[in-house]
Amino acid sequence: MKFIFSSKCLEYGATGHPESPHRVARIYNFLHSKGFDFIEPSSCTKADILLAHTQDLLSKVILGNFFDPDTPSLPNIYEYAKLSVGGALKAMQLSLTGDIGFSIMRPPGHHAGKNFLCGFCYFNNIAIAINHAGMRAAILDIDCHHGNGTQDIFLGNPDILYVSLHRFGHFYPGTGATSIENAKNYPLSLGIGEKEYLSTLKHALNEITKFKPSLIGVSAGFDTYKLDPIAGLGLDIESYRKVGNLIHELNLPTFYVLEGGYSEDLPRCVYEFILGIIGQE
């Protein structure tokens, strides 16, 4: 298993913003101390971005010509966003060579749609990587927030299955109430806990198995943790090993892209998830 990371993604941030360099730096330091291997990503191209987004959105990010209070127009954000997409692309490529790739780059991506950015996300990293692969694929989104951008990009595409487990009910972004076409949505209530979450996940993974994808991309969010300061679905740190193990049991080429997760226990949540991914029960 290899992790994709560049210290360049720690160079930007906005004061008081929860999607901070600190959260990813702590993941990197923790995993480095455990002896995992890291690979530097390369920036994606404009052509890569246009696999999932419009020219209009691309131009706005290049010029910094946009306003979103959660997704600020910061100096050089286009370059940082391109590098994060590159991390997802590298993770995907590793998965197709028999390895497991996990990009722990920032900014995240699953809220960015065809022609919009929002929710800390400028470009949709996992969507671009899936489209670049060009094969029948499933996306499993386990972030606490619904991936409205990913659904927007793939809705109606018969070759892509989007599956999301997310908190719903007066909660950002307010989408994903029901399943529609190729988007299988599992809206969950605050604080449901591990037992109900894992039961729902098993049902969701069965949908992926029935779809028979050649590739799976996982939007790996850890804001489902019970002590997450801005989200939460009642999961314990140890729950993530069980989540990872259930995904591991699919036995399909799978890559992982970091989305949310904002607690001080984030590195431990990620580590438990990784142990599950590699088959440690």
Side-chain angles (χ1 to χ4, degrees):
M1 184 170 192
K2 295 182 177 64
F3 294 86
I4 297 88
F5 174 78
S6 169
S7 61
K8 290 180 180 179
C9 80
L10 308 179
E11 294 175 353
Y12 80 94
T15 303
H17 200 293
E19 204 295 285
S20 68
H22 176 63
R23 62 186 286 268
V24 173
R26 288 187 298 109
I27 296 172
Y28 169 76
N29 290 334
F30 191 89
L31 296 182
H32 188 267
S33 73
K34 298 292 184 181
F36 286 104
D37 295 326
F38 291 85
I39 297 174
E40 285 267 345
S42 300
S43 291
C44 74
T45 66
K46 291 180 181 178
D48 292 326
I49 294 167
L50 292 172
L51 291 171
H53 299 291
T54 64
Q55 180 63 56
D56 182 56
L57 178 63
L58 174 59
S59 298
K60 286 179 179 177
V61 179
I62 290 173
L63 298 172
N65 184 24
F66 59 88
F67 174 77
D68 184 283
D70 290 331
T71 318
S73 180
L74 300 170
N76 298 317
I77 193 61
Y78 172 59
E79 298 299 329
Y80 296 124
K82 281 200 304 177
L83 194 59
S84 190
V85 172
L89 288 169
K90 187 63 179 178
M92 177 272 294
Q93 291 160 356
L94 285 168
S95 74
L96 294 179
T97 63
D99 208 334
I100 302 173
F102 194 148
S103 175
I104 58 169
M105 295 290 291
R106 57 186 289 267
H110 75 148
H111 292 306
K114 292 177 186 175
N115 196 37
F116 61 85
L117 52 77
C118 63
F120 316 162
C121 304
Y122 300 86
F123 299 132
N124 197 308
N125 306 313
I126 202 162
I128 294 168
I130 287 289
N131 274 338
H132 196 281
M135 58 182 63
R136 187 173 178 85
I139 298 172
L140 173 65
D141 193 329
I142 55 171
D143 190 272
C144 195
H145 304 83
H146 181 242
N148 56 316
T150 308
Q151 179 171 296
D152 176 69
I153 290 166
F154 289 114
L155 190 63
N157 186 331
D159 294 320
I160 307 296
L161 177 68
Y162 176 66
V163 177
S164 176
L165 283 71
H166 52 272
R167 181 172 153 187
F168 186 80
H170 304 290
F171 190 70
Y172 185 87
T175 53
T178 60
S179 295
I180 177 173
E181 298 185 49
N182 60 317
K184 302 294 184 181
N185 288 312
Y186 296 87
L188 302 168
S189 301
L190 171 64
I192 60 168
E194 179 185 292
K195 184 178 180 180
E196 184 177 345
Y197 186 90
L198 293 179
S199 176
T200 304
L201 178 62
K202 289 175 183 177
H203 184 77
L205 294 178
N206 186 53
E207 290 294 324
I208 291 176
T209 299
K210 289 191 296 183
F211 185 70
K212 297 181 180 179
S214 299
L215 175 68
I216 300 173
V218 178
S219 277
F222 298 88
D223 42 5
T224 45
Y225 176 50
K226 65 183 180 181
L227 298 180
D228 193 274
I230 69 172
L233 272 176
L235 297 190
D236 296 308
I237 292 172
E238 296 78 12
S239 303
Y240 292 99
R241 188 185 301 211
K242 298 174 185 178
V243 171
N245 198 254
L246 287 171
I247 299 170
H248 164 77
E249 289 175 354
L250 293 177
N251 196 30
L252 288 166
T254 305
F255 69 100
Y256 301 82
V257 178
L258 181 66
E259 301 287 0
Y262 309 95
S263 78
E264 288 301 312
D265 291 324
L266 177 58
R268 294 175 60 206
C269 293
V270 173
Y271 180 62
E272 286 294 321
F273 183 62
I274 291 162
L275 294 180
I277 288 170
I278 61 179
Q280 293 192 26
E281 298 184 7

